[in-house]
Amino acid sequence: MTVVIGFEGSANKIGVGIIRDGEVLSNPRRTYITPPGQGFLPGETAKHHRSVILTVLQEALDEAGLKSADIDCVAYTKGPGMGAPLVTVAVVARTVAQLWGKPLLGVNHCIGHIEMGRLITNAQNPTVLYVIAYSERRYRIFGETIDIAVGNCLDRFARVIKISNDPSPGYNIEQMAKKGTKFIELPYTVKGMDVSFSGILSYIEETLFAMLVEITERAMAHCGSQEVLIVGGVGCNMRLQEMMGVMCKERGARIFATDESFCIDNGAMIAQAGWEMFRSGHVTELLDSWITQRYRTDEVEVTWRD
């Protein structure tokens, strides 16, 4: 049996999770919460992570009922993400790996989301809403934003209208949207398989999700896929899941999504991706254990899938 501990801290969530052969043993996390209307700056976020990471690490071990000797590999988020928080997590992971005498493994944050989603939902070969599909030992990016990420777009909108980020800006926007009765037409910018969100920033949600559903459906048609897996923090949004579900039903396809314990950034997703990578022979040497803020999903060779 292989046990991997994962450290995640690419943005305002700091989490430590432990995975043993596909079983989530523990997954505590903390969120750096700022006043409504304010974002989280890299330096202040890193300071928050430094103040709680050892406490969260001990919680993870206690919850799992394990000691350092029981851990086979230490995984951490290499990127993408905010520089200072990523460095904080990488330094702690490097230190823990050396103190415990365990191999170290740098994990792509996005692949952590994908592998956690595959584990929890049992989706076999889904088109993933980023929009990504697996092909020839890579997660191939079929479409992406050409300016800002959808989660970042929702976060900025929340700051503009002074919505709290507790538990998350996107969740609070969704609750407000449920009370709305009037649909406002917005710029709908799909360019081939890519999308542009910056022009919609003043308006938001329904149109953003319609664009995501459209390009996901195109990617499914291109790949001949009959499964959709929604991952990442925005994937918790029930309206997005509902809209994607309508599209899948029309195509005779299946939709897979996870709850907020796994779709929001967490340590277990890094542990799960690390578990897959470690068992297929991946290890990060200490001299190579830096962080990469712009670490693309399709840079990683997926040696653990056929």
Side-chain angles (χ1 to χ4, degrees):
M1 302 181 80
T2 303
V3 180
V4 177
I5 190 167
F7 290 82
E8 157 60 22
S10 58
N12 71 327
K13 306 283 193 303
I14 179 73
V16 181
I18 300 177
I19 293 281
R20 180 175 60 202
D21 290 351
E23 179 186 2
V24 180
L25 300 182
S26 60
N27 197 23
R29 69 179 168 213
R30 299 283 193 283
T31 300
Y32 175 45
I33 298 172
T34 54
Q38 297 185 23
F40 42 91
L41 299 174
E44 293 300 313
T45 305
K47 182 178 179 181
H48 167 266
H49 290 0
R50 289 195 296 271
S51 71
V52 300
I53 190 169
L54 295 182
T55 300
V56 179
L57 168 58
Q58 191 60 55
E59 283 182 13
L61 289 169
D62 291 345
E63 187 179 327
L66 300 179
K67 298 181 179 179
S68 59
D70 302 315
I71 304 298
D72 295 305
C73 178
V74 177
Y76 73 96
T77 302
K78 179 177 180 178
M82 300 170 68
L86 282 172
V87 168
T88 295
V89 172
V91 167
V92 172
R94 281 199 297 257
T95 303
V96 166
Q98 291 179 85
L99 287 173
W100 293 356
K102 308 296 181 179
L104 184 66
L105 192 50
V107 172
N108 179 285
H109 174 89
C110 305
I111 286 181
H113 275 303
I114 294 169
E115 296 304 338
M116 196 74 225
R118 290 181 62 234
L119 172 67
I120 297 301
T121 66
N122 291 316
Q124 297 303 304
N125 190 25
T127 297
V128 182
L129 177 52
Y130 272 171
V131 176
I132 294 169
Y134 174 74
S135 176
E136 297 179 352
R137 303 186 85 169
R138 284 284 194 281
Y139 283 117
R140 309 289 177 177
I141 297 175
F142 283 81
E144 56 190 321
T145 176
I146 60 176
D147 39 48
I148 60 175
V150 63
N152 187 240
C153 184
L154 292 172
D155 289 352
R156 290 191 192 181
F157 178 68
R159 292 201 296 273
V160 168
I161 60 175
K162 292 183 168 44
I163 295 177
S164 171
N165 72 340
D166 182 16
S168 72
Y171 174 81
N172 293 326
I173 291 172
E174 180 184 8
Q175 304 319 304
M176 295 179 69
K178 289 176 181 178
K179 302 173 184 177
T181 58
K182 182 180 179 182
F183 176 72
I184 301 173
E185 289 196 23
L186 309 175
Y188 190 102
T189 313
V190 173
K191 300 183 177 181
M193 289 295 290
D194 295 333
V195 290
S196 173
F197 295 130
S198 59
I200 314 176
L201 186 52
S202 300
Y203 302 98
I204 279 346
E205 197 177 75
E206 191 83 1
T207 302
L208 290 180
F209 294 163
M211 292 161 60
L212 295 176
V213 171
E214 177 184 332
I215 62 173
T216 301
E217 184 173 19
R218 285 194 202 168
M220 292 173 70
H222 180 85
C223 298
S225 172
Q226 288 297 101
E227 295 179 335
V228 173
L229 173 62
I230 303 178
V231 297
V234 177
C236 297
N237 192 292
M238 298 306 294
R239 179 56 183 154
L240 174 58
Q241 293 183 24
E242 180 184 3
M243 294 169 70
M244 196 69 73
V246 171
M247 180 272 287
C248 286
K249 184 176 180 180
E250 291 175 349
R251 294 184 60 88
R254 300 178 65 191
I255 179 173
F256 297 90
T258 63
D259 62 25
E260 67 173 21
S261 61
F262 296 116
C263 63
I264 293 176
D265 294 350
N266 62 90
M269 72 184 206
I270 301 304
Q272 175 60 19
W275 182 87
E276 295 276 16
M277 295 172 71
F278 182 62
R279 285 169 61 89
S280 67
H282 291 255
V283 170
T284 301
E285 297 299 330
L286 194 61
L287 291 176
D288 297 326
S289 60
W290 53 71
I291 60 103
T292 303
Q293 284 187 263
R294 298 183 181 276
Y295 188 15
R296 287 180 60 88
T297 311
D298 53 3
E299 291 179 33
V300 180
E301 185 179 7
V302 184
T303 56
W304 56 93
R305 291 189 60 182
D306 293 332

